[in-house]
Amino acid sequence: MLNKLSSVVAVSALLGSAYAKVKYAGVNIAGFDFGCGTDGTCNTASVTPPLSFYGGGDGQGQMNHFVKDDGLNIFRLPVGWQYLTNNTLGGPLNPNNFGEYNTLVQICLNTGASCIVDIHNYARWNGGIIGQGGPTDQQFASIWSQLANVYQGQSKVIFGIMNEPHDLNVSRWGESVQVAVNAIRTAGAKNLITLPGTNYASAQNFVSSGSAAALAPITNPDGTKTNLVFDVHKYLDVDGSGTHTNCVTNNIASTFEPLAEYLNSVGRMAILSETGGGPNDTSCLTDLCQELQYIDQNANVFLGWVGWAAGSFDTTYTITETPFESNGKFTDQPLVSKCIVGEFK
């Protein structure tokens, strides 16, 4: 073991900056998802666009800071399905609502970062599960076909198929995801697509929940799996909910080691699009950094991470990643500075 470790260290020293690192690190810019519950209801009156000129947080300033000052290069932009279509299931993108959301996307793109368009509905619409008594696969495909038509020419737009599916028939969910992927590709979009499993996109249960078996067979219409990656979430608090300020695990042995083993065995990749903890908690400052360091060391199977969350969350939110702002100058939360940014540099 010692000789093998010494060899690895020696090789790493020789490779220097060429040593593999994850491609992406960034932060969720929340607000267009405010009002969405885990049952897929989204009260559009609660939406707080993370743009100061729309009355919300300064997502524009935050993203510019995260890119220019911190070197981050990806943002996830959650939005409620109901908001996009103004509460019309199967309907067209609403010009006003989608126009405001697209403003955020364009501001994100203008930073030079990659931008994840994330439908934040938990595989549901007002309580009904997609393809399982709720919205039809065709209605789900319709929203993605429309979004694909808008963004197909933007290679830095990533399509986050759905936020945190849960409590559903995961095999049937895989069929719904396949229909959405087909719609995106038929629209001519070659963009990266992220595929989430059940149990709230659990990284820990990705294989045991049946998510891996349901999602691994999904292909592009030509039979390839190019630009199809798995989408996973994992928090570090006592119940894995991301609702407590303290952390109790770095998730390595329980989650990311077995997930990396699975990904290596099938030659696939995943992105951790939600993780985080208390912004000042000493346990989180240790555990999250260790988690992200492990992911960075396994960049052959992990694309990177996106912390939760900034945008319209204020600086007192339980697991806030919103930087402090004073006279146009931004100062990061300790957890962001040390882990989200620090483990990427």
Side-chain angles (χ1 to χ4, degrees):
M1 176 65 74
L2 181 60
N3 289 339
K4 182 178 180 181
L5 180 60
S6 299
S7 298
V8 170
V9 171
V11 171
S12 298
L14 287 171
L15 290 175
S17 61
Y19 192 74
K21 293 180 66 67
V22 292
K23 183 175 182 179
Y24 297 118
V27 176
N28 279 265
I29 306 297
F32 278 108
D33 57 310
F34 284 12
C36 289
T38 59
D39 62 352
T41 57
C42 290
N43 179 4
T44 56
S46 296
V47 166
T48 309
L51 293 168
S52 55
F53 49 83
Y54 289 148
D58 186 10
Q60 181 171 14
Q62 293 170 19
M63 289 189 286
N64 283 329
H65 157 68
F66 285 136
V67 172
K68 294 177 181 178
D69 299 333
D70 291 338
L72 299 181
N73 63 359
I74 192 169
F75 301 105
R76 183 169 176 255
L77 313 176
V79 63
W81 188 355
Q82 288 90 332
Y83 185 78
L84 292 175
T85 64
N86 199 28
N87 291 300
T88 303
L89 178 60
L93 293 169
N94 178 266
N96 181 66
N97 291 1
F98 177 68
E100 291 190 358
Y101 178 72
N102 184 50
T103 297
L104 180 67
V105 176
Q106 298 306 320
I107 287 171
C108 177
L109 290 170
N110 287 341
T111 68
S114 292
C115 311
I116 303 175
V117 173
D118 159 55
I119 296 182
H120 213 76
N121 276 70
Y122 304 87
R124 287 161 168 77
W125 175 290
N126 295 348
I129 301 172
I130 297 168
Q132 301 178 43
T136 65
D137 288 348
Q138 289 67 37
Q139 288 169 328
F140 183 42
S142 173
I143 189 65
W144 274 114
S145 179
Q146 294 178 68
L147 290 168
N149 273 302
V150 173
Y151 296 120
Q152 62 172 301
Q154 300 283 354
S155 62
K156 288 194 172 183
V157 171
I158 297 169
F159 296 141
I161 283 284
M162 181 57 61
N163 177 68
E164 295 192 344
H166 65 91
D167 297 290
L168 44 66
N169 181 317
V170 70
S171 297
R172 182 65 185 84
W173 167 241
E175 295 173 10
S176 298
V177 173
Q178 180 68 75
V179 174
V181 168
N182 291 346
I184 290 168
R185 297 300 188 227
T186 299
K190 300 179 181 179
N191 307 53
L192 187 71
I193 302 173
T194 67
L195 315 175
T198 190
N199 286 11
Y200 298 91
S202 171
Q204 183 170 358
N205 305 123
F206 187 73
V207 176
S208 62
S209 68
S211 295
L215 299 175
I218 292 172
T219 66
N220 298 308
D222 64 3
T224 67
K225 297 181 180 179
T226 304
N227 277 349
L228 301 177
V229 303
F230 302 130
D231 185 2
V232 297
H233 293 178
K234 194 71 179 87
Y235 289 96
L236 303 90
D237 51 352
V238 65
D239 58 1
S241 65
T243 60
H244 304 86
T245 56
N246 63 310
C247 297
V248 298
T249 177
N250 61 21
N251 290 321
I252 294 173
S254 65
T255 300
F256 291 106
E257 281 184 348
L259 181 57
E261 182 179 359
Y262 166 76
L263 294 170
N264 272 304
S265 73
V266 295
R268 300 295 296 273
M269 299 195 76
I271 185 168
L272 177 62
S273 67
E274 280 191 29
T275 193
N280 303 289
D281 186 81
T282 55
S283 61
C284 293
L285 288 167
T286 297
D287 288 340
L288 183 63
C289 283
Q290 290 175 352
E291 173 188 280
L292 300 185
Q293 183 180 61
Y294 180 83
I295 289 171
D296 196 39
Q297 292 168 346
N298 289 271
N300 65 309
V301 291
F302 294 115
L303 278 174
W305 57 79
V306 191
W308 183 270
S312 286
F313 283 117
D314 63 31
T315 55
T316 62
Y317 167 55
T318 304
I319 58 170
T320 189
E321 296 189 356
T322 300
F324 300 98
E325 188 272 332
S326 178
N327 298 319
K329 179 178 174 60
F330 290 88
T331 302
D332 286 325
Q333 299 284 346
L335 192 75
V336 172
S337 178
K338 184 178 180 183
C339 302
I340 300 293
V341 175
E343 293 299 335
F344 189 56
K345 288 185 173 180

